[in-house]
Each structure stands twice: as structure tokens, then as C-alpha cells.
Amino acid sequence: MTVAAARPLLEVQGLVKHFPIYEGLMFSRRVGAVQAVDDVSFSIQAGETLGLVGESGCGKSTTGRLILRLIPPTAGSIRYDGVDLQALEPEAMRLKRRDLQIIFQDPYGSLNPRMRVEDIITEPLVIFGEKPGPALTKRARDLLETVGLASFHAKRYPHEFSGGQRQRIGIARALASHPKFIVCDEAVSALDVSIQAQVVNLLQDLQDEFKLTYLFIAHDLGVVKHISDRVAVMYLGKIVEVADKRTLYRQPLHPYTQALLSAIPVPKPRARRARMVLKGDVPSPINPPTGCRFHTRCPYAKEVCREIEPPRIAIATGHEVACHLVKAG
Amino acid sequence: MTEASSNIGYAPELDETPPQPWAFWRTDTFQRLIRHRAFMVGAVLFAIVALVGALAPLITSVDPNALSIRNKFKPPSWEYPFGTDNFGRSQLSRVVYGARLSLGIGLGVLVLNAVFGVLLGAAAGYVRKLDGPLMRVADAFMAFPAILLAIGIAAALGPSSMTAVIAISVVYIPRTARIVRASVLVVREMEFVQAALASGATHYRIVRKHVLPNCMAPLIVQLSFIFAYAVLTEAVLSFLGLGAAPPAPTWGNIIAEGRTYMREAEWITLIPGIVLAVTVLSLNLLGDGLRDVLDPRLKVQQG
């Protein structure tokens, strides 16, 4: 893929989200902030899939929601197709939402239990003024068939479906308004492995068919490897390494990425390999470590890591790492 | 095969049974309700009282306010099944028409509570800035004992059945609003609300289509209890002379008028008292049943 070819479809610059913590009931004061996302930048080319991986609580989902402006960022800019989404008036943003969609993690919580499947999946269309009628019903049935369900499912309620089927309904809803960009927020994490494979394949087929661009958020590196073109690794609100899939999985440079990759189970019981096991827990994002945020758990940490935050530097074309121990060239 | 219908990858289990059209009596909720014994007892009792009230002119042809001094203080007999009072009025007619008045007032309170409780509760739960102010006002109202507040409002507005409706509603609306707010706070954080937001839904649409329909169960349960409290409070207000003006046959009025003659003609107070108690009991049973079935957090195992 030629990187310099065109303007990226999505460009995130210096994205920051701090959730303030208040104390006291009547006269509350701000006592701190959860630094969920801190200075995150990346870009996604049209038609590409960027995998975003990291441990629980590292800010992956928050990043996804910030991009869709479901929560307001503390700082930073999000440019979609050259338009700064933050600068849009609420109404203009609402109209932009046709192009940007999201698939949620929880197939049980993401469908309104009081609505029929056909009303759920055509809601994005009804919102933008399409009138209920035979055309809309037909569209609902087509969408259901596109995601591998049957058209006679349209009249049913969400509780009549299994988790995997519900996730397909969620995908059908995300496709309804012909979006160009979809955030898959742990879209397969809640599913059984066999169903995961089906849904991941479905997402890939849909990408080819409708020329979609994905931000694929997950904590399962195997799934990310399968679907992504490029992968960004997040740790405690920061992106520590970005590279195209092949490079990242073959030659991870950041110690955290190395640790993550060595944790992927290998389906060979007798295989021996060097496991890199991290000690301790993820530090609290309320009071993140100074310098490199990973230094408290990094087996190679040096003095400089404790004091100075490493900048993200390009090691090779498209391969960026934020680590003092990795030198350019 | 058209492009859109290219079935990608996945064969759904093919149970082609066409889904039957939705009908309330086919739902699981309804099936559980009719198997709930307490609910059915309450529902049947309440249905009887409500029917009697609604069909009052068909049940008794005697005007509840027709005086007949010659027949005063008649104990229950074939001619006067519930006896007569100190003016010789047929107690049967008075109690039957009383059902109409009392339940009418209860229904008025119910409707006002549903409308304003939902509006205020949704506003407080969905709009963060309104939550604090609205709930502090609700706290202020709820700091008064219910009966005392109702008496105060009814006394300030002057006695009539309309005042009774308003006074009782004002007492219970903060409580309803609180319950709606609590549900809204839970539902607004659910992912399908985020999904609607991401699809470009307006806040009005989100509240109406996504939040409120999922807050109905606790509201329905609460309203059934409010109906019971309203009937009871109305009886108290008219007993104290703050409800509908005296010749009107509300249960509270009948009991108030009969209490002077309790020793000589106990049926005057006893019968409307029993009817009132049965009505309130039936609504409480009904509410308990609804809560068991609709509110899964309080679900109890039924043997």
C-alpha cells in the first residue's frame, strides 16, 4: 500500500481525553483526572483497516468513541475526509454521522430490546428522513441477508437471537446508511471463537464489497493480525508502536509489543519459546508514571526511561516506536 | 441473486416458522401474570369494583342523593341491601356511585402522575443540569408526610374533587419522577443509546424511542400503588371535609357522615370502609404481581 498516495480518510492529531474526578457533594472540587487517552495520533487510509490493541483500560474504546464524537475530547483534532469533526456544529455533526458508524462489543446491550429487528437496522435511515414503507422493509431484508441472516428474521425481537446473530444485526445496522468508516469496538470479543471467525470473515467480505475503512479495536492479537493492514499498540492512553501488520508481528520493537506478542497462545503443545511475562499491574491512569509510562513494568528500563518521555520516532517507513532503547536507522 | 442478497458465509438455522403477530396474551409477561395468584385475585377484585363504578346506573336505579326521612337508619334488608343512612338514602346507591367518584379521582391522579412524573423524571435523568435542581425540589416535597401535604394543599385550594386530584397528584408526582429518573439514569448509559446517538438520532428521539420504553416496568408498578394511595388519600381528604363537597357520595364522605351514628347504625360506616379496604388491597395485590413479573431485579421463584 502506498502511504503517501492520498490524503488519509481519517487523521487523528494529539487526541486527549481526561475524565475529571470530583470530590464532595455540594461544593464539589476537581481532585484529579483519569488520563484515559493522552496525546494519541494516527491516520487511516481509505479502504484500510487499522487494528488498535492494548490491555483493558488502556483507552482503546475511549479513542473509538472520541472519533465518533460520542464523548467530547479534552484536546486534539479529528479530521475525517479533510473536515475537522470537532469544529462542526452539533447539527452538521449529526448529518455527518451517516458516514461514520460503530459496531459495539456487547451484542446484548447494543440492541434496544423493545424494538423489532427491522426497526433497529433501519433506524439510521429513518433518522435521515426515509419514510417507513415497502422500500424500507425491503432494505431491512436485504441488509439481513447481507450479514447472513434470513429476511424472515425482520419481524422478531432481539431476545430471540443468539449472541452471534445479534452481532450480525448490529453490523447490519452499522451498514444501513452506507457509511465509509466503521469503528469496530471489540466487535468480536464477546463471541465464541467459532462465531468470531465467522464475524471477522463477514467484516472482511463487507469491506471488500462496500469499500469500507475500519478502525478495529480489540485485545485479541490473533484476530487483529487476521483483519488488519496496520496495527497500533496502546499502553495507558498512549500509542507505543505503529507498524504495518507484517512488520509488527515479525519484528516488534517496543518491549510492550514484544510482551503482548509473546502472550499469544500457540497451538503446539510442545513448542518451546521464550515467554516474556510482565510483572505487576497496569499503573493507574489517574496518576500515570513519569517518563515512559511503561518503565514500571519494562524489563529493560533505564534511568532515562524514568525521567524523559520517549517521543514516537519513525524507525522505517510506516514503523513508529516510542522507546528510548530503539534508535532510528 | 442481487448484490445485496449475496448471502455471505453463514447459513442461519432455518426455522421458517413465520413469527406470529405480536399479541399481548401471547407474551411471556402475560402468561406469567395470569399464573401469579396474588395478581389474579387483585385483578379480579379490582375489576369488580371498577365495573360496579362504571355501570353504577345499571346496578341501582335509586338516586344516591334521594332523601327518604321515613326510611332512615334501616339496617341491611332486601329492599336496602346496604341499609340506609340518617337521611334515609340508599347506602347501596351511595357506595356504588362512590366507587365511581373514588376511582375517577384515583384515575385522574394516575394520569397526572404518569404525564408529569415521566416528563420531570426524564428531564432530571437525561439532562444533567436539571437533575440537581429538580431532585432538590422533589426532596423538599417528599420531606412532608404525604397526608399532611395533601391536607395542606387541599385546604389552601378549597374543597372540591378537582382539588383532591391536584393535591394528591402534587404529593405523589415527586415520587414517580424519582423512579422514572432512576430508570432513565440506567438506560441512558446502555450501548443501544450510544448506537442511536452514533446513527444521528436527536435527543428527543433517543428519549422517546430508546430510553422511555425501557423505563416502563418500574413506572407501571409504581402507578398501580399510586392508584391505591390516591383512593385512600381521597377518602381521608373527604372524611376531613377537604374532598368533594358533602352531599357527593364519596367513600370518605359516607364514612364521615356515618361516624356520628356508629353505635346505632354501624353499617353506614362499616360497609364503605370494607369496600375501601378491599379496593386498596386489590390494587396492592395487583401492584405486587406486576412488580414480580415486570421488575426482574425483584423476581421471586414461583413453585
Side-chain angles (χ1 to χ4, degrees):
Chain A
M1 188 169 292
T2 49
V3 178
R7 183 174 64 186
L9 184 70
L10 186 88
E11 208 175 355
V12 175
Q13 248 337 307
L15 196 61
V16 179
K17 178 67 190 179
H18 290 178
F19 292 103
I21 308 161
Y22 295 102
E23 207 167 69
L25 276 175
M26 279 290 268
F27 304 101
S28 55
R29 63 207 164 81
R30 219 182 118 149
V31 292
V34 177
Q35 298 173 24
V37 174
D38 208 357
D39 195 13
V40 161
S41 306
F42 58 84
S43 60
I44 308 178
Q45 302 291 330
E48 186 187 40
T49 299
L50 176 69
L52 188 59
V53 294
E55 283 168 273
S56 299
C58 72
K60 312 180 295 275
S61 290
T62 307
T63 305
R65 279 159 208 232
L66 285 168
I67 290 169
L68 295 183
R69 233 175 104 175
L70 293 176
I71 44 177
T74 311
S77 76
I78 297 145
R79 297 186 82 79
Y80 170 78
D81 209 7
V83 179
D84 186 356
L85 295 183
Q86 295 310 315
L88 289 179
E89 295 291 314
E91 185 59 19
M93 181 64 212
R94 200 173 74 79
L95 298 175
K96 231 345 161 237
R97 291 190 184 283
R98 264 174 199 263
D99 292 348
L100 306 155
Q101 268 295 338
I102 180 164
I103 300 167
F104 289 97
Q105 170 176 17
D106 176 10
Y108 293 89
S110 59
L111 306 178
N112 185 343
R114 308 253 162 197
M115 282 169 85
R116 285 172 198 279
V117 167
E118 77 181 327
D119 296 325
I120 290 172
I121 58 183
T122 56
E123 187 174 25
L125 301 170
V126 173
I127 286 167
F128 289 110
E130 275 187 47
K131 297 278 166 286
L136 204 63
T137 310
K138 168 104 177 36
R139 178 93 179 104
R141 281 157 205 269
D142 287 349
L143 279 166
L144 281 174
E145 285 174 8
T146 304
V147 297
L149 292 168
S151 57
F152 63 83
H153 286 138
K155 294 280 177 209
R156 300 194 173 174
Y157 284 88
H159 73 262
E160 299 174 65
F161 294 90
S162 69
Q165 290 176 316
R166 282 160 160 261
Q167 200 60 309
R168 287 167 187 274
I169 297 168
I171 293 169
R173 170 178 60 193
L175 293 173
S177 60
H178 292 300
K180 299 189 188 83
F181 175 71
I182 298 181
V183 174
C184 306
D185 184 3
E186 305 259 13
V188 298
S189 308
L191 306 175
D192 292 343
V193 178
S194 59
I195 311 291
Q196 271 189 7
Q198 290 179 357
V199 173
V200 166
N201 290 339
L202 169 67
L203 286 171
Q204 283 188 315
D205 292 342
L206 294 171
Q207 181 167 38
D208 294 342
E209 197 174 334
F210 299 114
K211 310 272 172 287
L212 298 170
T213 305
Y214 290 143
L215 174 64
F216 193 88
I217 300 170
H219 56 254
D220 183 332
L221 288 142
V223 173
V224 169
K225 186 179 182 181
H226 186 73
I227 197 169
S228 307
D229 298 310
R230 286 192 304 133
V231 179
V233 181
M234 252 183 118
Y235 182 76
L236 217 60
K238 286 194 179 290
I239 291 185
V240 295
E241 186 165 5
V242 192
D244 67 86
K245 173 173 72 180
R246 206 158 291 165
T247 315
L248 190 99
Y249 279 79
R250 202 173 288 165
Q251 192 196 12
L253 289 177
H254 197 282
Y256 181 62
T257 315
Q258 292 168 358
L260 274 187
L261 291 178
S262 86
I264 301 178
V266 179
K268 288 180 194 157
R270 283 177 216 289
R272 284 174 170 268
R273 59 201 175 112
R275 280 273 276 122
M276 182 173 157
V277 181
L278 294 179
K279 295 201 170 58
D281 286 326
V282 183
S284 162
I286 297 169
N287 188 15
T290 54
C292 175
R293 291 193 170 187
F294 187 55
H295 84 251
T296 52
R297 300 169 77 196
C298 182
Y300 314 116
K302 290 179 174 169
E303 201 53 50
V304 63
C305 302
R306 265 180 267 282
E307 283 151 17
I308 300 162
E309 194 174 320
R312 205 165 95 200
I313 48 168
I315 301 299
T317 316
H319 191 170
E320 296 176 19
V321 185
C323 180
H324 288 304
L325 302 167
V326 181
K327 295 280 176 284
Chain B
M1 222 179 228
T2 59
E3 187 202 41
S5 67
S6 61
N7 195 329
I8 292 171
Y10 176 65
E13 64 260 43
L14 292 168
D15 71 273
E16 287 272 4
T17 47
Q20 292 180 296
W22 187 87
F24 182 63
W25 64 85
R26 243 185 260 122
T27 60
D28 185 44
T29 305
F30 182 76
Q31 292 300 322
R32 291 221 305 274
L33 275 176
I34 56 169
R35 261 183 267 121
H36 194 284
R37 210 172 299 154
F39 174 83
M40 282 315 284
V41 171
V44 168
L45 281 177
F46 181 71
I48 292 170
V49 178
L51 268 177
V52 164
L55 305 175
L58 298 178
I59 288 168
T60 165
S61 53
V62 185
D63 183 346
N65 287 327
L67 307 182
S68 172
I69 302 297
R70 271 189 305 137
N71 292 322
K72 67 178 178 182
F73 296 128
K74 283 269 168 70
S77 64
W78 277 116
E79 199 189 349
Y80 296 109
F82 286 1
T84 61
D85 67 3
N86 50 326
F87 293 116
R89 293 175 292 198
S90 163
Q91 280 293 91
L92 178 69
S93 290
R94 289 185 70 72
V95 170
V96 164
Y97 276 90
R100 184 176 253 203
L101 265 175
S102 295
L103 296 187
I105 287 169
L107 198 67
V109 172
L110 185 92
V111 169
L112 283 179
N113 257 278
V115 172
F116 288 99
V118 165
L119 281 179
L120 294 171
Y126 197 78
V127 186
R128 263 179 204 176
K129 278 189 180 143
L130 290 179
D131 190 22
L134 280 176
M135 284 303 112
R136 295 300 79 76
V137 173
D139 286 342
F141 275 99
M142 286 162 69
F144 290 99
I147 293 280
L148 206 62
L149 183 59
I151 290 171
I153 296 165
L157 295 175
S160 80
S161 40
M162 196 38 110
T163 3
V165 171
I166 292 169
I168 301 166
S169 296
V170 169
V171 171
Y172 288 107
I173 284 171
R175 283 152 226 253
T176 314
R178 272 225 111 114
I179 289 193
V180 174
R181 167 188 172 266
S183 318
V184 170
L185 283 178
V186 172
V187 175
R188 60 172 283 172
E189 297 300 331
M190 292 186 159
E191 275 193 342
F192 60 81
V193 173
Q194 298 280 304
L197 203 60
S199 300
T202 56
H203 288 298
Y204 172 71
R205 183 184 171 89
I206 288 173
V207 170
R208 194 174 54 93
K209 283 274 201 181
H210 296 279
V211 177
L212 286 181
N214 287 292
C215 295
M216 281 302 122
L219 177 69
I220 290 168
V221 172
Q222 172 73 1
L223 287 180
S224 72
F225 287 116
I226 281 186
F227 200 132
Y229 298 143
V231 170
L232 200 59
T233 313
E234 186 278 329
V236 172
L237 286 181
S238 50
F239 181 82
L240 295 171
L242 292 167
T250 72
W251 292 337
N253 276 344
I254 302 169
I255 296 171
E257 284 167 28
R259 81 175 192 280
T260 333
Y261 316 104
M262 202 117 83
R263 280 164 190 279
E264 299 81 22
E266 70 286 346
W267 60 87
I268 302 177
T269 44
L270 207 55
I271 291 171
I274 291 169
V275 172
L276 174 64
V278 167
T279 308
V280 173
L281 177 72
S282 75
L283 281 164
N284 275 311
L285 289 174
L286 203 125
D288 278 341
L290 282 172
R291 191 187 53 206
D292 287 350
V293 172
L294 294 179
D295 214 336
R297 277 163 299 180
L298 300 163
K299 198 180 279 176
V300 285
Q301 291 291 319
Q302 284 177 64

